[in-house]
Amino acid sequence: MTVGAVLLGALSTHATNYLMERSRNRHQLLTRWDDRKVEAYGAYVDAAKARVALAVRLYEFRERGRHTEWSEQELRSDLADAGRTWGSAFERVMLLGGDDAIEAGHDLNALIAEIDWQATGRITGTLAEWRDRNRAAFRAINDFHEAARRDLGIQGSVMGEKHPERDLLLPPVERT
């Protein structure tokens, strides 16, 4: 009887320790993947914004005659480099992201491609169309933020009543 009680105690201690260790490892694994997702989501948004910013520089140079210290070729090269960085960042989102975040990224990618195409002259458009494309891209960035936050289980929202939609920050109209 005593031997049975000792064996039962040993088995229950072993099972409890095993289950606790397994739970701890599972929690660490989930936390590690959440950390990687945060990094991937942040890098993707940074790369998307950098690509838009470089497209704006090129557009301003080509379409608006804005003087810069860079040549058109340098601006195009910088935009192409930003495109590669952005593509790599989205690949990490594709590997780690939740379904809604991936779909929001695809929507954002389409809008950023249009901005790139208008900046480089692959498609034409008016200044109003250019601004509409940029507005749509920044709304899509917010949509991506929302999807990423949901995927990570973060409460709250970056849009809505507490955070109304903002418009583009535009410089005053130049006088000619």
Side-chain angles (χ1 to χ4, degrees):
M1 179 91 154
T2 305
V3 173
V6 170
L7 284 174
L8 182 61
L11 283 173
S12 65
T13 299
H14 176 73
T16 300
N17 287 340
Y18 171 78
L19 292 173
M20 287 177 56
E21 185 68 20
R22 185 173 158 203
S23 176
R24 187 177 65 81
N25 287 340
R26 185 175 294 155
H27 176 72
Q28 284 178 336
L29 184 62
L30 289 174
T31 302
R32 185 180 77 188
W33 286 115
D34 280 351
D35 289 346
R36 298 274 167 95
K37 282 183 180 184
V38 168
E39 290 170 13
Y41 290 156
Y44 172 66
V45 170
D46 286 347
K49 287 180 176 180
R51 189 169 180 203
V52 169
L54 289 166
V56 167
R57 277 191 197 165
L58 179 58
Y59 178 83
E60 291 288 322
F61 178 85
R62 286 186 63 254
E63 298 293 325
R64 313 263 325 230
R66 179 100 6 119
H67 175 72
T68 70
E69 59 192 72
W70 302 283
S71 69
E72 183 174 346
Q73 188 55 41
E74 289 171 317
L75 292 170
R76 286 178 180 274
S77 178
D78 288 347
L79 183 56
D81 289 344
R84 284 187 288 281
T85 301
W86 164 77
S88 293
F90 187 64
E91 288 299 319
R92 285 190 298 282
V93 169
M94 293 282 292
L95 289 170
L96 298 170
D99 291 343
D100 291 343
I102 290 169
E103 285 307 309
H106 281 302
D107 293 343
L108 176 57
N109 291 348
L111 293 165
I112 291 177
E114 287 183 17
I115 289 170
D116 185 297
W117 297 336
Q118 188 171 355
T120 58
R122 288 185 205 129
I123 61 173
T124 59
T126 65
L127 177 59
E129 290 169 324
W130 170 254
R131 289 181 173 166
D132 286 345
R133 285 186 171 105
N134 279 270
R135 282 183 182 100
F138 282 96
R139 279 192 301 272
I141 287 171
N142 284 339
D143 291 343
F144 180 82
H145 282 137
E146 288 291 331
R149 290 170 62 90
R150 279 191 309 272
D151 183 41
L152 294 166
I154 298 171
Q155 294 181 4
S157 175
V158 297
M159 299 184 295
E161 288 181 24
K162 290 188 178 187
H163 305 283
E165 186 172 326
R166 310 261 193 268
D167 199 6
L168 294 177
L169 297 175
L170 299 170
V173 176
E174 294 179 15
R175 294 189 174 103
T176 52

